[in-house]
Amino acid sequence: MFLPTAVLDVELSQPPQALTGLGTAARACCLVRLHGVPLGYVEVPLSNGSCPAATVRAAVVDRLAWPLLRQHLLNLLSGANPQTEWSMQAALTARPVAPAVTLPSITVAVCTRDRPEDLRRCLEALMRLEYPALDLLVVDNASRTDATERAVRDYAPAVRYVREDRPGLNWARNRAILEARGEVVAFADDDVIVDPGWARALGEVFAEHPSVMAVTGLVMPFEIETEAQQLFERYGGFGRGFDRRWYALDVRRGQRAGLTFGGAGQFGTGANMAYRRSVFDRIGYFDPALDVGTVTNGGGDLEMFFRVLKEGHPLVYEPRAIVRHRHRRDYASLRTQITNNGVGFYSYLVRSSLAYPEERLELARLGGWWFWYWSVRRLLGSFVRPPATSRDLILTELVGSVQGLFRYPHARRHAAALAQPSDPPSRPTRPSFGPASTGHGTVRHVHLEQLPQALDDVTEYPEVQVTVWRGGVPLGRVEIPNRYQPVSGTRLREAIVNGLRIQLFQAEGQADAETLWTRWQSALNAWYVPPAPAAPQPRLAERVPVSVVLATFDRPDDLRQALSGLMAQKTARPLEVIVVDNHPASGQTPPVVADFPGVRLVEEPRQGAAYARNAGLLASRGEIVAITDDDVIVPPDWIERLVAPFAQADVMAVTGNVLPLELETPSQRLFEQYGGLGRGFTRREVNGTWFHAFRRRAVPTWELGATANSAFRASIFREPEIGLMDEALGAGMPSGVGEDTYLYYKILKAGGTIVYEPAAYLWHKHRRDLRALRRQLYAYSTGHVAYHLVTWLRDGDGRGLLQVLVHMPRWRLRQVAGNLLRAARRQPHYPLALLALETKGNLAGPWALWRSYARVRREGRSAPVMPAPAPEWPEPLPAYALPESHT
């Protein structure tokens, strides 16, 4: 089940604004920035395509409190002087100070082949770059038509065009380096849209850090409009976080690069990377035997990242350098991409092992560990619990990894056949790193009142320990692994903030860190979250029709009372009530339904709550389908309260509170002591994240409410991965119950959201005699085990089997021991006879499930999914007064 997500920006330095006009998107994924600096993602639900400004800002403060603290402190430190006020208010009002540097000239190279429409979108964004010295270059890599050249011609002379006839992305990259006029060569793929500040963010890093030879940046999704795009993000995407990171190898002390830096995907991706042009004369150009256009299908960017570090040059990941990538829109293309990820990664490992024999052992260990941890372990884990992504994608990358071990030699021979004498080398001329060092670092002292712009005198040391002072008082110490490079002012400030965090406010009454953090969160709420009057709860549009399905089995008096409440609903929306007679042979139900004009009667002779409810679902025509029982009484506003959360587009199911109508008999009071049907008075909202959060324990869907008070978006029953209720589960079958919890399970597994809304309450008539209660509890116990076994057998979820074999027996033993102890102390306790009955039901669960499946095989299943609803609706239903005793 896929729900589109709107991808957009939220700039905190601007006045708060509501998110509006987002159509059918279920959620908004917001890239949160402060003065243009990205802090992180925040997802907020959308109701009718919108979200209030206060909700967005509250989510930002709740989820990004630390990134906000870090950025505000960096802003404060960038302009610090002896008069600086070291307070939270001063940090909140501080603005960043741009570094006073001379920006290098940049050539932006776009390597493309036969994708003119993507290229036009890319070039439109490049034309909006804010940079003083820019050279735009398109390298046409053996396109089969002249469409690429014609597309570039529309942007001439601002964009230059060159053609490289040898197919292969690294041939094109090397041609771009040779054609470049800038001091820096920045590469952007043709399927990205660069941020207006992208080039400046790259240029500032190169300008402020002369030793840095490579910079990568943040790659975020341009859109999440298809299921394949959502799957790619769940699989890992291209994003590498929002912290600036500095990478360098300690070559003077002989540090190996294989295990530490061999996983070069941690540094970024070729869709967003830049190099100082001079570095290629030192370490060689891209290897044309790697990446797209060859049998290796990737790895060229990873190999260059590794080579830069291996040859002793620093690399920086700069999240301010943002591009938006248009992910593959269909599953077949995504599958090919994931396969190529495996092929390319292991081809790169083979190439690096050949180029650097001293790294072979570490690279082999890395390859083995990665194969086990990333591929095999995840694949095996998918049989224990459903993966957040597709098992097929895990398997296809594993297969690609094996193929990648054998692809590079063939690609290398092919590249050699295409090579020309004038081609630049792709092998490094080993530089001299200076004398070997055994030093372990040095110590420096900095005062926040006079924070230095850089530490230039530390180039003889691999690490620097910096003691931070303010007002003559030491605040703490931070360590910077500078690897014989000067430490810029930017890096020094980042190290201080990352190391000391909230301690930088320590002078405020000498409060402890926990108290300071609480103050900071309060200050953030006061600063960012706009005061707003209590907004009314979002309401589902009145034009949305609702069907109510009520299944009954020979309880005419209860049915009459339930229908009276349903007919008295205060709603202006189209509403139909469907009664499903689950025992038509008795003839008890039709006379009751005949007294309520407009109520539809459906017959389902196959006994079982799931059979009956499925019959009602198949007959329903509403966009929302509410399900209830014949032994409940509903208040007049029940429907509107129950369906209100569906204004949020990702909500697929809503459950409500079930209150006891009376507690007059011992059995009714015992049922409440057992747990009843209510789930408390606190609203809950759970989704796929909650579903996957349980690693070795079954997902507790039974905590989400009962089908006696529930509603569902009808479209879920048309989804093959969800479908109708499992007719082997539920009341009336040997298995007892479980059709509702399994339906919740399938919804969450498919990525839907379920809301428990206690305001949508109704009253339930509990069993009045002990014999009926014992039958009910026995059915609950068999059904609970049956439900877990179904999740294992049908969904491959090993957590269900663990629950039955390990967690449930352990819980029963604790339950029995606790009640025995309370009985021995003559304290109130749950009857041991009922505990024994429940245990007996648990043990009978597997047999009960087998009998249920056998019965379903005999009697047949209903249709697997619901048909589309009919557009016609009856006239408004007549209103019936609710009995006075229950209003």
Side-chain angles (χ1 to χ4, degrees), residues 16-20 44-47 49-59 530 532-533 535-536 538:
Q17 291 185 339
L19 309 181
T20 58
V44 292
L46 299 175
S47 298
S50 64
C51 184
T55 301
V56 176
R57 289 300 180 94

Side-chain angles (χ1 to χ4, degrees), residues 496-517:
I496 291 171
V497 170
N498 290 333
L500 301 185
R501 298 194 172 204
I502 202 73
Q503 290 174 250
L504 289 171
F505 296 125
Q506 197 70 44
E508 289 196 357
Q510 297 301 317
D512 60 81
E514 185 175 349
T515 301
L516 287 172
W517 183 252

Side-chain angles (χ1 to χ4, degrees), residues 110-123 137-156 159-165 172 190:
V110 181
C111 302
T112 185
R113 185 185 188 190
D114 288 328
R115 296 205 290 195
E117 294 307 315
D118 284 338
L119 179 61
R120 287 181 184 276
R121 191 182 298 110
C122 177
L123 292 178
L137 173 68
V138 170
V139 180
D140 184 352
N141 188 209
S143 290
R144 288 163 291 189
T145 71
D146 65 347
T148 299
E149 184 177 4
R150 286 188 283 108
V152 177
R153 201 179 298 149
D154 293 339
Y155 298 89
V159 181
R160 295 188 293 130
Y161 170 89
V162 298
R163 182 177 174 88
E164 171 56 60
D165 287 320
D190 57 8

Side-chain angles (χ1 to χ4, degrees), residues 364-375:
R365 290 172 60 193
L366 171 68
W369 174 85
W370 187 257
F371 188 79
W372 161 252
Y373 182 84
W374 181 250
S375 296

Side-chain angles (χ1 to χ4, degrees), residues 319-330:
R320 292 184 304 132
I322 302 170
V323 305
R324 292 166 173 83
H325 182 264
R326 195 163 185 260
H327 299 339
R328 307 295 192 271
R329 293 180 62 86
D330 62 273

Side-chain angles (χ1 to χ4, degrees), residues 544-556:
V544 177
V546 173
S547 300
V548 180
V549 173
L550 189 159
T552 186
F553 189 101
D554 292 347
R555 292 200 285 204

Side-chain angles (χ1 to χ4, degrees), residues 558-723:
D558 287 341
L559 176 62
R560 185 177 300 278
Q561 206 165 21
L563 286 176
S564 296
L566 290 174
M567 302 304 288
Q569 290 301 296
K570 297 177 180 177
T571 180
R573 72 180 63 257
L575 178 70
E576 68 172 355
V577 178
I578 300 172
V579 173
V580 183
D581 185 356
N582 202 207
H583 191 207
S586 71
Q588 296 187 44
T589 298
V592 177
V593 175
D595 291 340
F596 296 86
V599 175
R600 298 170 59 198
L601 179 63
V602 174
E603 294 185 353
E604 175 51 78
R606 296 172 296 181
Q607 293 181 13
Y611 271 128
R613 287 168 175 165
N614 283 347
L617 290 171
L618 290 168
S620 66
R621 295 171 289 179
E623 293 181 32
I624 307 297
V625 182
I627 296 179
T628 189
D629 289 344
D630 57 6
D631 54 358
V632 304
I633 296 174
V634 298
D637 58 354
W638 172 67
I639 276 291
E640 286 304 316
R641 289 180 181 272
L642 188 64
V643 303
F646 288 105
Q648 188 175 314
D650 64 336
V651 172
M652 297 294 124
V654 178
T655 62
N657 205 355
V658 180
L659 304 172
L661 179 66
E662 58 184 19
L663 295 174
E664 297 179 358
T665 69
S667 65
Q668 290 175 329
R669 292 190 290 273
L670 278 173
F671 184 64
E672 281 298 301
Q673 188 178 354
Y674 167 82
L677 295 175
R679 294 299 179 263
F681 299 89
T682 302
R683 189 180 191 272
R684 291 186 70 186
E685 184 173 320
V686 298
N687 53 28
T689 302
W690 185 76
F691 176 87
H692 292 288
F694 299 91
R695 298 187 61 83
R696 296 178 179 85
R697 187 164 67 90
V699 184
T701 53
W702 54 90
E703 297 177 357
L704 302 179
T707 357
N709 187 6
S710 61
F712 304 89
R713 204 177 291 276
S715 59
I716 68 169
F717 300 110
R718 302 183 193 102
E719 295 282 345
E721 55 190 325
I722 300 176

Side-chain angles (χ1 to χ4, degrees), residues 251-495:
V251 292
R252 293 194 188 181
R253 289 194 290 185
Q255 182 186 2
R256 296 288 189 212
L259 280 179
T260 307
F261 296 140
Q266 65 186 296
F267 310 128
T269 177
N272 185 6
M273 61 182 181
Y275 301 87
R276 209 176 291 274
R277 184 158 54 105
S278 60
V279 74
F280 298 107
D281 294 328
R282 305 183 193 181
I283 70 173
Y285 286 55
F286 287 91
D287 185 344
L290 291 174
D291 230 301
V292 178
T294 74
V295 294
T296 61
N297 284 310
D301 50 355
L302 306 183
E303 190 276 327
M304 185 55 74
F305 298 155
F306 180 78
R307 200 193 314 172
V308 166
L309 291 164
K310 174 64 181 174
E311 295 301 322
H313 305 291
L315 180 151
V316 173
Y317 171 74
E318 173 52 79
R320 292 184 304 132
I322 302 170
V323 305
R324 292 166 173 83
H325 182 264
R326 195 163 185 260
H327 299 339
R328 307 295 192 271
R329 293 180 62 86
D330 62 273
Y331 185 79
S333 299
L334 171 63
R335 194 175 188 276
T336 299
Q337 180 185 10
I338 297 301
T339 303
N340 290 340
N341 285 352
V343 175
F345 179 67
Y346 280 86
S347 295
Y348 138 68
L349 290 182
V350 171
R351 192 272 182 197
S352 297
S353 297
L354 295 172
Y356 300 102
E358 70 276 14
E359 297 285 356
R360 285 178 184 172
L361 179 59
E362 288 206 349
L363 289 172
R365 290 172 60 193
L366 171 68
W369 174 85
W370 187 257
F371 188 79
W372 161 252
Y373 182 84
W374 181 250
S375 296
V376 176
R377 184 173 173 268
R378 286 201 306 160
L379 182 63
L380 295 176
S382 72
F383 293 98
V384 177
R385 59 174 185 150
T389 184
S390 163
R391 182 185 297 160
D392 176 60
L393 293 180
I394 300 173
L395 183 60
T396 194
E397 185 174 8
L398 186 150
V399 172
S401 300
V402 175
Q403 294 171 343
L405 291 172
F406 307 99
R407 293 281 183 88
Y408 180 73
H410 173 66
R412 189 173 179 180
R413 290 192 297 271
H414 182 70
L418 295 176
Q420 299 172 2
S422 59
D423 288 333
S426 59
R427 303 280 168 168
T429 300
R430 295 297 180 90
S432 173
F433 298 122
S437 170
T438 58
H440 294 287
T442 186
V443 176
R444 293 293 182 271
H445 297 264
V446 300
H447 297 262
L448 296 185
E449 296 87 352
Q450 297 175 333
L451 194 65
Q453 291 301 307
L455 301 178
D456 295 319
D457 58 346
V458 294
T459 55
E460 297 299 319
Y461 304 97
E463 297 97 20
V464 182
Q465 285 193 354
V466 177
T467 303
V468 183
W469 300 71
R470 189 179 70 237
V473 177
L475 298 181
R477 180 180 296 166
V478 297
E479 185 171 295
I480 305 174
N482 62 305
R483 300 294 184 258
Y484 313 100
Q485 304 294 335
V487 178
S488 69
T490 297
R491 191 174 184 188
L492 177 60
R493 291 189 292 271
E494 286 178 352

